[in-house]
Amino acid sequence: MRRRCLLPLLALLAVMIVAPAIAQRRVTPVNTPATRTQSRNDKEGDSARALERRRLRSRPVSDEPGNYLMLDTLTGVQWFDSTMLPKAPPMKYPLLHAVNVSVNLWDPVMRIFGQHHGLIGFAANVSLHNRYLPTFEFGLGTARNKPSDMNFTYRSPIAPFFKLGADYNFLYNSSPDYQFFAGVRYGFSAFKFHVDDCTAPDNYWGETGSFSIPSASVTAGWLEVGLGLKVKLWGPISAGWGLRYHTILHQSHPSSGDAWYIPGYGTASSSLSGVFNITYTIPLCSRNAAVADTAVLSAPVLTR
């Protein structure tokens, strides 16, 4: 009888001792940042492995518009693999690559062949990654023209002009010795002009009279867009050619009439002008540094 009573008491005592320990483990689970990160890593790892398995059993196909897709040979489902997107090539050259100083010989050469206006221009730009070239131009212009079929002489004293803009080099990851670029400029000039030796016949008296149009001050601003090419001649010396289209944005209109010539722009009736530059390049980084940067950019990235 005592044994029968003792056994239930021992069982009840054992339950009372073990139950709190089990309840304690359930009430206070282990939930630390480390366990949460491990859970996320497990999920990402599972997703990466599943994507790799799907990629291995798929083959590339293209739809009617010509888009490239992947065909899952197991399920027959077409899907898009984002790793197939073309990646933009890395910048091969450093940010501050070089400084270029140029002299524009277009007007001096054209004056040899009979042009009656223009003088000379200069330019300086900074090469950023051998891709972007913010540019500042300035120069001097003058004009003296007496048309053979007209009865006057147009004169414009030497006056400055300024241009501000930028070029874009399409061959930015190729050798900087050769560039093909497009550019845009805003130009401005403040100048004077006057007209002398104007003659007018007097039909009544049969004599010819002469007079002059007094000097007028003019300001003008214009927009230029153009294409150009630069090639290396020797050492730091390069030659460049270009063609520019320009249009007047604003211009003052004196009472004596509009100007025939605008410094830096050319004749007001012309919408095209040329460029012939001789350029001296000052490198801002050594060639070895550029090669090292290229090696770093082209090296594979290893991840854990």
Side-chain angles (χ1 to χ4, degrees):
M1 179 63 71
R2 289 182 178 179
R3 289 183 179 179
R4 293 179 181 178
C5 294
L6 185 59
L7 289 175
L9 292 175
L10 292 175
L12 179 61
L13 182 62
V15 170
M16 293 176 64
I17 295 174
V18 176
I22 297 175
Q24 182 67 24
R25 278 199 298 269
R26 291 178 179 176
V27 171
T28 57
V30 178
N31 187 14
T32 65
T35 58
R36 290 194 296 270
T37 303
Q38 183 62 39
S39 175
R40 185 168 63 251
N41 292 340
D42 291 342
K43 291 180 181 178
E44 292 176 356
D46 292 342
S47 300
R49 285 189 289 270
L51 179 60
E52 184 62 26
R53 288 193 298 269
R54 189 179 192 186
R55 186 179 290 115
L56 290 174
R57 67 172 184 259
S58 300
R59 60 183 179 85
V61 295
S62 60
D63 56 10
E64 293 182 359
N67 300 316
Y68 288 96
L69 302 171
M70 299 294 287
L71 176 63
D72 192 324
T73 56
L74 182 61
T75 63
V77 175
Q78 291 183 350
W79 60 286
F80 178 72
D81 189 356
S82 60
T83 60
M84 296 176 63
L85 289 173
K87 296 182 179 179
M91 295 293 185
K92 186 176 181 180
Y93 297 95
L95 175 62
L96 296 177
H97 176 241
V99 172
N100 300 294
V101 181
S102 306
V103 55
N104 184 4
L105 300 178
W106 178 266
D107 281 342
V109 172
M110 295 304 293
R111 287 181 74 95
I112 295 175
F113 292 97
Q115 180 176 284
H116 300 286
H117 57 83
L119 196 57
I120 197 168
F122 304 90
N125 64 47
V126 179
S127 174
L128 306 178
H129 293 302
N130 191 41
R131 188 174 187 178
Y132 310 103
L133 298 101
T135 303
F136 173 72
E137 297 184 20
F138 68 97
L140 299 172
T142 184
R144 184 183 184 279
N145 185 28
K146 185 174 184 177
S148 59
D149 58 343
M150 302 298 288
N151 59 344
F152 64 88
T153 300
Y154 180 94
R155 303 175 191 270
S156 179
I158 295 176
F161 64 86
F162 306 92
K163 300 179 185 180
L164 185 64
D167 292 330
Y168 179 86
N169 178 24
F170 296 100
L171 306 178
Y172 58 89
N173 268 356
S174 301
S175 171
D177 297 339
Y178 303 92
Q179 294 182 345
F180 174 64
F181 51 85
V184 61
R185 303 280 191 278
Y186 170 76
F188 177 83
S189 181
F191 60 100
K192 295 182 179 181
F193 76 93
H194 59 276
V195 180
D196 297 332
D197 304 328
C198 298
T199 59
D202 188 340
N203 296 327
Y204 183 80
W205 296 103
E207 297 179 355
T208 301
S210 62
F211 62 95
S212 298
I213 298 177
S215 177
S217 298
V218 180
T219 59
W222 64 93
L223 177 69
E224 291 184 0
V225 293
L227 294 173
L229 178 69
K230 190 184 85 167
V231 298
K232 180 179 179 180
L233 297 179
W234 64 86
I237 307 297
S238 303
W241 301 265
L243 184 66
R244 294 181 180 178
Y245 169 82
H246 46 222
T247 182
I248 296 175
L249 298 178
H250 57 86
Q251 178 184 3
S252 56
H253 302 280
S255 59
S256 57
D258 291 342
W260 171 75
Y261 165 75
I262 301 173
Y265 181 94
T267 59
S269 60
S270 175
S271 59
L272 293 175
S273 63
V275 178
F276 175 56
N277 284 331
I278 299 297
T279 302
Y280 184 88
T281 300
I282 305 171
L284 297 180
C285 67
S286 65
R287 188 176 185 87
N288 293 333
V291 172
D293 290 341
T294 304
V296 170
L297 288 171
S298 61
V301 179
L302 300 179
T303 57
R304 295 184 178 181

